[in-house]
Amino acid sequence: MRTLLPALALLAFTSHAGAADGDKQLAQQAKAVLKAHCYRCHGQDGSVEGSMNFVTDLAKLVARKHVVPNDLKGSRLYKRVDDGTMPPPDEQPRPSAAELAILKKWIEAGAPSGEAEAARTAITQADAYAAVLADLETMDKRARRFQRYFTLAHLYNAGLSDEELQTYRNALAKLVNSLSWGSKIVNPVAVDANRTVLRIDLRWYVWDATVWNRVLQEYPYGLIDDSVSARAVTVGTAAKQPILRADWFVATASRAPLYYDVLQLPANLADLEKLIRVDAAENIKQERVSRVGFNGSGISRFNRVLERHDSAQGMYWRTYDFDEPQANLVDRVNGGLLPDRRNIFAFPLGPGGLAENPFQHAGGEAIFALPNGLHAYYLINAINVRLDKGPLNIVSDPKRPDRAVEAGVSCMSCHVTGILPKADQVLEHLAKNPKAYKRDEADVVRALYPGKEAGIKAMEADAKNYATAVAKTGAKVSRYEVVSTITQKYEADVDLLTGASEVGLTADEFRARISQSEQMVKHVGSLRAGGTVTRQLWVQAFGDIARELQLGGLYQSNLNGPTLKDNTGELDPLESRGDSANQWAFTTDGRRAIVASGDRSVRYYDVEGRRDIKRLVGHTASVWSVALSADAKWAASGSMDGTARVWDLTSGLEAAKFTDHTSLVSAVSFTPNGKWVVSGSFDGSVAYWKIADGKEGWRAEKLGLVTALAMDPQGAFVAVATENALVLLNLADGRELKRYGKFASPLSAVAISPNGKWIAIGNDAGTVRVWQVGEDKAQFTLTGHEAGIRSVAIKDGGRWVLSGGADRTLRLWDTSAAKQEVPVFRKHGASVTSVAFLDNGTQTVSGDRDLAVFPWRIDKFLSTAPPVVPKAETPKTPDMIPYAKP
């Protein structure tokens, strides 16, 4: 028996392996059949017939109930193929009997999905900003302010296939070009490897900052990212929010009123017709129009008249729609019954003022060609005033939640071919009823209504031009129009996976975070148990969710500042109002500080009293860097206005100004003798200049994005942190002495120990590295922060490192300890922008972006950690540090 058991086990294993191989082969065969006959309409190039664009994703076919394992009758996909309705009957070639048998066998075998796809690496917000920054750096600086971006990263993270993502790309391309006054179709350009970040240039569509800021007024997912990359992108594009979710944009900018506002359309039809160079009344008088009249269109419940004009861009169609005639007509003329003026077969001429007996319409729609060949739409009431939605008693759209026809999306959904061919019935009515009109009226009817063939021919010609333009966007003229399809997908209820991907977490992480928050349980607790929330409730709760998850500050569209002279972006997209502290520089006793404020001022601040001593005013944009001289008599500052300045703290007056940077001055530092300042900028330069006269001593350029500086206490060198490298420059002449990098994540902070022998840097990934000057490799790598590092300090020969991060915490690291529990201070409510050791040796001080400042004691930690041989090991989880006054 002992010898039989291994044999049986081997047999079972072999049998299982054989079955697995058989399932894999069967799945491959089924996928090949679907790709040959279904893929061209359900996935290829983003095609989305039947609202399905994943026909070759076998697992998704099962998950979304198109296929039910072991159940042929319950499998909708198989039934459609079996009965010959899929592919459509006119499609060739048709699935063979052998191919149908493969699908049947596959389903009866449990619909195996075959090989599992390799797990995706999630695309983070930092990844998106890094891709945008890399893209901006490929172009001329003057062109950067015109660039804006859309992201599909959350959909990629939710598991959508590239075919599904392509549908979103097609929808975005079609919509932005349908909102354009440019003469050409220009599609968004992917700037990352996965094609989830897409760039547009405002000039392509004749947009400007006013249009973009109007879009931002509606944007519910706006977050102010605190990372180096995000700040650099904001500066480069001159926009507080240069990246938007593509699915939201498609679902929102395709609907009035935003649809009208992005297209910059006027409030009434008369002004619209002037815009496109159409004089409708004169055209009707001179019989330069072509009309089609008929009963019911599918959208309009009653009579409808279509009227075509030539326009500056090619064509302009408008409709006259009519409300329901009354059952009892009381108006009588000379004892006879007057036909209802809503009956176009009795009154085919008009509108009012252009005929003796005009029809009485209740509203309508205008469709006109844009310069690029796509169409724009405009709803109006009876007096030609613009409407966001058509009245339900006249028109309806069964695809919209409230069945109302919405300007933009409903029109696109209905007019899938551009102008829907409709046969005229009025001329035929006149032919059969020659006495229905007076002779002169009949002549005008014949002139305005040329009949079925002429009307159809004009419509088909316009539809052909429209189809050509649509094809250039990557979309197709299809029954399932791509913009309306994506709009419906966005508006669907939000489940756990969708919600998790939209906040940058996995489903399991999001479920756990919901459970830990009473606030989130109230908002979206149903997601934990497999439920959903409506898109409206999700949007309403997003601000609270973002705060609970510390996703970043919420963007407020009402705080946008003055625009550039050419109206391409904001003069200072980094400006903030109220109490803000982008950086602190503390005196060595921690009692005073210089604060870089987002409101353009430099604060000389009393830390103990929590009040301003002086406001140093002169910068014309937000201030982002500050430094104190060794004797604490002078302060230096750098601003978004491109200047660095020195201030006399006794008088509060400006003592010197350096104006030769061309972008944000992100870092400043005094030399040890206090006579010179070193300043670094996002323009890639570092300048060494004299306080006495503001004259430049030397300049280093093309360093990359300069994010932080630290001065050697002995005055030998200055350490420059950039987006991907740490560079040591000779203080005497600016020569490069040493370079560390290239780093994967942008550097965001740098500090040098008092003896000048150790350097600590922090990056946007939340990692701190410590070097001994002169060595090539970092001796210590310290991890634990949950967001980017904003400030570091180092003391005692490199043993103690203090770090502050965007995760609102401070951490104290002992690099000499092989293992340790890292003390963590969590009192801050905002990103910690500066940290410092005090000269009493027992305390530190920290300040955050909301102008909160806290001193705290570290003596008990210094005394309980005897030095050992240092090892570069990741410290353990945090312990709270008690708060103490200085």
Side-chain angles (χ1 to χ4, degrees), residues 819-870:
K819 293 185 178 181
Q820 62 175 307
E821 291 190 3
V822 180
V824 177
F825 180 57
R826 299 183 182 275
K827 195 173 182 68
H828 285 285
S831 176
V832 180
T833 52
S834 294
V835 299
F837 289 105
L838 301 187
D839 60 2
N840 61 18
T842 62
Q843 288 179 302
T844 67
V845 65
S846 58
D848 67 27
R849 199 171 296 285
D850 286 348
L851 203 66
V853 59
F854 299 109
W856 46 286
R857 300 180 65 90
I858 60 170
D859 49 340
K860 76 170 187 176
F861 302 105
L862 302 183
S863 62
T864 57
V868 296
V869 178

Side-chain angles (χ1 to χ4, degrees), residues 370-388:
L370 293 165
N372 60 22
L374 291 174
H375 291 175
Y377 309 92
Y378 194 90
L379 301 182
I380 49 176
N381 64 13
I383 57 173
N384 293 336
V385 173
R386 192 179 83 182
L387 295 175
D388 292 348

Side-chain angles (χ1 to χ4, degrees), residues 24-34 102-103 105:
K24 178 180 175 181
Q25 185 178 16
L26 189 56
Q28 290 173 341
Q29 293 173 341
K31 187 173 182 177
V33 172
L34 295 172
I102 288 173
L103 292 181
K105 184 179 180 181

